[in-house]
Amino acid sequence: MPRKFMFTKEEVIEAALALSRDKGISAVTARAIGEKLGSSSKPIFSLFENMDEVVHEVLEASNKVYQSYLEQEMTKGDYPPYKASGMGYIRFAKEEKELFKILFMRDRSNEIMDNNNEIMPLIKLIQKNLGLSEDEATLFHSEMWFYVHGIATTIATSYLEWNEEIISKILTDGYEGLKCRYKGDE
């Protein structure tokens, strides 16, 4: 009879995610995961082929946490939906600094960028709100995202400690400025 696994894949991923939250992705080693689970590293390799697979799962789990921030912010109703997405991104950077760095501040030069499924609802929202073409709305979103990402990065790296009120005002100013440029001074 084959030996029963001591841990599930989900438990290993949760332990790796917890290590990532505390110390960043570089802390995710088989030995550290084993220690976190009160075991050796051997059971990890019974469940995963290698550490690359574990890291991939940590990225997926981190993205789920990020998506929950967006969903929470967008359903709360404190801000219009498009602004809420930016506020959620920034709140994620503030509250989950290491996960933010893992997702948005790593070398991605060898990755294929295909986030159309994630951003298309935002593009459609911009089109609806501003009457822009899909190409214009995509460019508008890219410019706004660079703005939001800059704020989030300064917060994630503890360069700035802005409160929600200031962040909200700055995002409104950026949005209104872009809107004027795209729509003219209506």
Side-chain angles (χ1 to χ4, degrees), residues 99-116:
L99 298 185
F100 177 83
K101 291 173 189 175
I102 290 168
L103 290 177
F104 301 109
M105 295 179 68
R106 72 179 190 278
D107 180 358
R108 299 177 84 164
S109 58
N110 293 324
E111 294 179 23
I112 298 169
M113 296 299 289
D114 183 23
N115 62 349
N116 279 349

Side-chain angles (χ1 to χ4, degrees), residues 46-62:
S46 300
L47 297 167
F48 297 91
E49 280 207 28
N50 54 42
M51 284 307 295
D52 288 341
E53 187 181 349
V54 175
V55 169
H56 174 76
E57 292 295 330
V58 169
L59 289 171
E60 292 291 319
S62 298

Side-chain angles (χ1 to χ4, degrees), residues 131-167:
L132 300 177
S133 70
E134 186 175 318
D135 287 344
E136 290 171 323
T138 300
L139 185 56
F140 184 102
H141 176 68
S142 295
E143 291 183 68
M144 200 62 213
W145 183 83
F146 288 123
Y147 199 62
V148 169
H149 180 68
I151 294 168
T153 300
T154 60
I155 289 170
T157 58
S158 300
Y159 185 73
L160 295 174
E161 290 292 327
W162 286 341
N163 64 36
E164 187 174 336
E165 184 180 333
I166 297 286
I167 293 167

Side-chain angles (χ1 to χ4, degrees), residues 17-27 58-59 62 92-106 156-158:
L17 185 64
L19 286 167
S20 298
R21 277 184 157 131
D22 290 341
K23 300 176 185 165
I25 196 71
S26 64
V58 169
L59 289 171
S62 298
F92 175 70
K94 184 176 188 173
E95 295 176 8
E96 295 283 0
K97 290 180 180 192
E98 293 303 324
L99 298 185
F100 177 83
K101 291 173 189 175
I102 290 168
L103 290 177
F104 301 109
M105 295 179 68
R106 72 179 190 278
T157 58
S158 300

Side-chain angles (χ1 to χ4, degrees), residues 60-98:
E60 292 291 319
S62 298
N63 192 50
K64 285 179 185 172
V65 173
Y66 163 63
Q67 292 299 325
S68 75
Y69 271 76
L70 291 184
E71 186 178 319
Q72 287 170 9
E73 207 62 51
M74 291 177 80
T75 57
K76 272 193 325 192
D78 291 347
Y79 303 102
Y82 187 68
K83 183 176 185 177
S85 71
M87 294 298 287
Y89 186 85
I90 293 167
R91 188 167 63 84
F92 175 70
K94 184 176 188 173
E95 295 176 8
E96 295 283 0
K97 290 180 180 192
E98 293 303 324

